[in-house]
Amino acid sequence: MKTVYCIIVTYNGMQWIDRCLQSLQKSLHQVTVIVVDNGSKDETYSYIKTNYTDVILIAAISNLGFGQGNNIALKMAVKDNADYVFLLNQDAWISNDTIEKLISAHEEYPQYGIISPVHLNGAGNDFDDHFFNYLSHSNIKGLLLDNICNSNINTDLIDSPFVNAAAWLITKNCLHKVGGFDPVFFHYGEDDNYAQRVRYKGFKIGILPSTLIYHDKERPSLNNKTDIKKIISRDWTQFLVYVCDVNNKSYKMMMIKRTARHFLDFVIALVSINKEKLIYNFSMLKKSLTAFSSVTKSHTVSASDGITPYL
């Protein structure tokens, strides 16, 4: 039997953890479960320690973010020569045949480095947020929920440039060549960057219609226009994903242009005494000026032929 290390990064996940871990216990393909807790403030860590003694439980020294939390366990999987790693969000759970079918798909199509099931919402009555967008950029068009999840109709893998890391089966070969998550990303954007590197290394990314997960995630809101910190974080992450793309050869010029733009907008906001734009552009300008070395390093490491970068 192929060895599968299932990795879950937790942070205040009490409302989901039973459903998540119990679904893995029911998996038709046996898995080794590793939970990395990012300093939960609720009872997540102690609850898992008491009630799931078969889980390898690791307490991070602080909140490392999604990517770096996963990297701790990914390093263990590489050391133990696991055949696959399966990344699963704490707020998601699988069907009992999910991992079994994902492995079978890879055995039939070994050119894929990442294979993901269909992502439904927590109620199971619709696609998860944004999942249909991934399908719209894939090699198929116009699929309906009823037939994409019907294994009698769709059994082949769907090529897609990206699917979020709520449920990724990563192959051993892909993990060794692509490595872990880039530490330049804290939370959000790290899976976009990883997918860019997967494609750069010559692997394909696929969605398997014949199996699924349920993703009951919290929906962040940016409705409050005064929540400038969230807006800055969102916009900076989107920019980082763009300039850290190993396929992007003009990233240095893009960073120079973006820095100049925020400097000009900062001066305009200063003259017009626009406090919100002052804060926004000063923060973005500061981030741009300090990110040159880390973005350059990201490109260097991502393009290298080294084994398991970032792990």
Side-chain angles (χ1 to χ4, degrees), residues 8 16-24 88-90 92-93:
I8 304 163
W16 304 288
I17 203 61
D18 275 329
R19 187 169 285 184
C20 178
L21 293 179
Q22 287 174 14
S23 74
L24 293 169
L88 185 65
N89 276 18
Q90 66 174 2
W93 56 95

Side-chain angles (χ1 to χ4, degrees), residues 76-305:
M76 294 176 60
V78 170
K79 181 180 178 181
D80 293 345
N81 202 32
D83 294 306
Y84 299 94
V85 293
F86 182 65
L87 306 188
L88 185 65
N89 276 18
Q90 66 174 2
D91 53 4
W93 56 95
I94 67 171
S95 299
N96 63 353
D97 64 355
T98 295
I99 295 175
E100 181 181 64
K101 286 187 174 180
L102 293 174
I103 292 173
S104 295
H106 174 251
E107 290 175 339
E108 185 174 356
Y109 302 101
Q111 66 270 35
Y112 287 84
I114 292 176
I115 303 176
S116 181
V118 170
H119 299 197
L120 302 183
N121 61 19
N125 58 7
D126 202 350
F127 289 118
D128 180 29
D129 288 355
H130 307 302
F131 187 80
F132 195 80
N133 291 337
Y134 311 148
L135 292 176
S136 69
H137 290 92
S138 70
N139 63 332
I140 55 173
K141 303 289 182 181
L143 288 180
L144 299 175
L145 180 64
D146 288 343
N147 62 26
I148 193 174
C149 297
N150 187 333
S151 60
N152 294 321
I153 298 176
N154 293 289
T155 57
D156 290 337
L157 281 168
I158 301 166
D159 290 340
S160 180
F162 176 75
V163 58
N164 72 47
W168 276 2
L169 184 80
I170 308 176
T171 69
K172 180 199 293 188
N173 193 25
C174 180
L175 179 60
H176 279 243
K177 291 185 178 181
V178 180
F181 289 95
D182 190 334
V184 74
F185 296 91
F186 175 72
H187 190 52
Y188 298 121
E190 58 276 277
D191 52 355
D192 296 87
N193 176 264
Y194 199 92
Q196 292 162 351
R197 290 158 53 206
V198 166
R199 299 195 306 274
Y200 180 81
K201 292 292 184 178
F203 296 98
K204 299 176 76 173
I205 299 171
I207 298 169
L208 184 64
S210 61
T211 190
L212 48 84
I213 63 154
Y214 302 86
H215 193 189
D216 187 39
K217 64 185 178 186
E218 292 180 318
R219 273 60 180 178
S221 174
L222 288 174
N223 293 331
N224 185 353
K225 293 177 65 175
T226 63
D227 197 350
I228 192 67
K229 289 184 178 179
K230 286 185 177 180
I231 296 173
I232 291 169
S233 177
R234 178 199 62 191
D235 290 357
W236 178 247
T237 297
Q238 290 174 349
F239 180 64
L240 265 187
V241 168
Y242 192 53
V243 295
C244 286
D245 183 354
V246 65
N247 304 285
N248 184 353
K249 304 305 180 185
S250 58
Y251 69 95
K252 290 183 179 179
M253 182 56 65
M254 291 177 180
M255 291 195 70
I256 292 171
K257 289 181 177 179
R258 178 62 66 96
T259 301
R261 193 193 84 184
H262 286 303
F263 175 75
L264 179 60
D265 288 346
F266 172 77
V267 172
I268 293 173
L270 187 65
V271 172
S272 61
I273 317 177
N274 188 318
K275 182 179 179 181
E276 188 170 285
K277 288 187 177 180
L278 269 174
I279 295 172
Y280 177 85
N281 286 289
F282 178 78
S283 298
M284 295 293 282
L285 177 62
K286 183 178 178 181
K287 288 178 181 292
S288 297
L289 289 171
T290 58
F292 274 90
S293 61
S294 58
V295 172
T296 301
K297 181 180 179 180
S298 175
H299 276 261
T300 301
V301 174
S302 297
S304 71
D305 293 325

